[in-house]
Amino acid sequence: MENFPNKELTRVVQTGLNGSPSAFALSVGRLVAKLKHVDLALAQEISALLPSSSALRSGDSFAPAPVDNDSRMQLVEVLYPVILDKAPVLAPKVKQMLDECLTEWASMDILLKAGLAPARMLLFCGLPGTGKTMAAHWLAQELKLPLLTLNLATVMSSYLGKTGNNLKAVFDHANTRPCVLLLDEFDAIAKRRDDGSDIGELKRLVNVLLQALDDWPANSMLVAATNHGELLDPAVWRRFDSVINFEKPGAELIAEYLQEASLNDTARLAMAKMLVGESFSAIGALVMSARKRALLEQSKFSQQFIKLVVRSVLDRGQMEKPLDAEMLLMRLNGASMREIAGHFGKTHPTISSVVKRYLGE
């Protein structure tokens, strides 16, 4: 122990006094990792005293959520337990990265004893409606932790220094027990500090954020989501364990997303190809509209959904063969093959081929 760095022992004492069990366990783990080279028996003895991951992830319920002093509105929304109707449809690379994070959390005991921590800060980048928020909910569900979502409209204040105080209150609250903290529209609080229009408030806010990220405990997960990664301060990027990019889904993912819809395989694959370029949220809105129309008009969901998709693509001028769309709409509105053929001056086999290709009839 004569040559053992005093700063390691000092760090253990400091984190122990901070009151964060996970930070203390992580600090002790780092001490043990270095102590093994000096005194293996003592290292093993200390390692055996470390709490298990289940102990670190348990805790009492949260205290009441912090509020803005002026509006008296809550700064965070708390959801627990988080239960999704179905798992989100994710691109293979995104799913792999999230699964790797969950694997690390399942092995928290092993990591802490080696002075390591599971991935605890993730940055989700991508266009709106691509599944970033849903993925955060899924992580909270899988980790069986409460989901805290920053109420950005309440946190942001026009009063000098008030936004920074509100943000600090949110992090102090989240640190009271294990959770998943979602910071949506992250660029609003982590914007580059070289913005020429800034009068100093932005720099103070980002500095508060950076300090909070540095102090984030090992037994909670922080998920920041942004549609504008290019606006983030460079110092913010370095704080995250993983940066995960969410892109608009291709035909294969859309077809998977529509798997539970009442569509035959031919129609589902055809609609998936037509919907390429749309976000999951836009597709979900079409599904919901079709369900409501089917209910109110006492018709089939598939009929209403295909009509909405075809009209949407046709209105945007993105239908490769607009005439096909017109034929499909007539068919969905109850016209016979013969009537459609006569209307467009086409043969019956031609109409039959179009209908079969899109509707599977």
Side-chain angles (χ1 to χ4, degrees):
M1 290 291 287
E2 294 180 3
N3 298 323
F4 198 79
N6 291 334
K7 65 179 181 179
E8 292 297 334
L9 294 173
T10 303
R11 186 176 291 114
V12 170
V13 174
Q14 287 176 334
T15 54
L17 294 174
N18 286 338
S20 170
S22 63
F24 181 65
L26 180 59
S27 182
V28 172
R30 288 172 177 163
L31 171 67
V32 168
K34 294 187 177 182
L35 187 58
K36 287 179 180 178
H37 303 291
V38 181
D39 190 332
L40 180 59
L42 180 58
Q44 292 174 335
E45 184 178 346
I46 295 176
S47 179
L49 299 175
L50 283 172
S52 64
S53 60
S54 58
L56 290 173
R57 291 167 62 179
S58 63
D60 296 326
S61 59
F62 283 107
V67 298
D68 178 76
N69 289 333
D70 297 314
S71 67
R72 305 309 299 171
M73 294 180 64
Q74 292 188 346
L75 299 175
V76 291
E77 297 175 0
V78 182
L79 179 62
Y80 185 75
V82 180
I83 302 175
L84 299 178
D85 294 334
K86 62 178 181 178
V89 176
L90 302 168
K93 185 175 181 180
V94 172
K95 182 66 163 56
Q96 179 184 352
M97 295 180 74
L98 295 181
D99 283 341
E100 288 173 355
C101 292
L102 294 177
T103 298
E104 291 183 13
W105 275 72
S107 305
M108 185 186 291
D109 295 348
I110 298 173
L111 293 175
L112 289 176
K113 290 181 179 180
L116 302 171
R120 57 200 176 98
M121 288 191 285
L122 308 178
L123 177 60
F124 292 173
C125 298
L127 294 171
T130 50
K132 301 186 297 297
T133 301
M134 183 64 70
H137 281 71
W138 182 71
L139 285 173
Q141 173 186 268
E142 296 302 297
L143 293 171
K144 296 180 175 56
L145 291 176
L147 176 69
L148 275 64
T149 302
L150 179 75
N151 189 332
L152 186 62
T154 306
V155 168
M156 301 298 284
S157 173
S158 60
Y159 294 101
L160 193 65
K162 191 66 177 297
T163 300
N165 291 337
N166 283 344
L167 186 62
K168 186 177 185 301
V170 169
F171 274 90
D172 288 344
H173 178 67
N175 285 334
T176 59
R177 67 152 291 179
C179 66
V180 173
L181 175 62
L182 172 61
L183 306 178
D184 215 347
E185 298 183 60
F186 188 56
D187 45 278
I189 59 174
K191 194 176 179 182
R192 297 178 67 95
R193 286 170 289 181
D194 57 5
D195 187 340
S197 63
D198 175 44
I199 58 173
E201 174 68 1
L202 178 60
K203 291 184 176 65
R204 286 188 287 271
L205 177 59
V206 174
N207 288 335
V208 169
L209 174 65
L210 293 175
Q211 184 60 56
L213 294 178
D214 288 339
D215 295 338
W216 187 248
N219 63 337
S220 287
M221 180 173 287
L222 184 147
V223 177
T226 179
N227 306 330
H228 303 285
E230 73 281 359
L231 298 180
L232 299 182
D233 190 275
V236 170
W237 288 90
R238 298 192 293 270
R239 263 65 179 187
F240 289 92
D241 299 298
S242 295
V243 176
I244 302 178
N245 293 305
F246 289 72
E247 299 177 351
K248 285 187 176 180
E252 186 176 343
L253 276 185
I254 296 175
E256 183 181 346
Y257 181 82
L258 296 174
Q259 188 72 52
E260 295 183 10
S262 301
L263 299 168
N264 62 54
D265 287 344
T266 298
R268 181 169 58 87
L269 295 175
M271 294 305 103
K273 291 178 181 178
M274 295 174 69
L275 287 167
V276 170
E278 295 287 358
S279 66
F280 281 129
S281 60
I283 298 169
L286 287 174
V287 170
M288 187 60 66
S289 294
R291 285 177 176 168
K292 289 188 288 187
R293 291 190 182 189
L295 178 63
L296 295 176
E297 298 178 17
Q298 295 295 298
S299 58
K300 292 182 179 180
F301 164 81
S302 58
Q303 178 184 8
Q304 296 293 346
F305 180 70
I306 295 172
K307 284 168 65 174
L308 286 173
V309 172
V310 172
R311 283 173 179 161
S312 175
V313 176
L314 190 61
D315 290 344
R316 295 199 309 270
Q318 296 177 338
M319 190 77 183
E320 291 184 10
K321 297 180 179 180
L323 190 58
D324 285 1
E326 298 292 348
M327 294 176 182
L328 287 172
L329 290 175
M330 279 193 69
R331 180 61 175 169
L332 291 167
N333 285 326
S336 67
M337 300 282 195
R338 189 174 301 277
E339 289 172 332
I340 299 172
H343 181 82
F344 290 102
K346 300 291 183 179
T347 64
H348 188 284
T350 298
I351 305 302
S352 179
S353 176
V354 170
V355 170
K356 185 175 182 180
R357 183 163 66 250
Y358 289 97
L359 306 182
E361 293 183 8

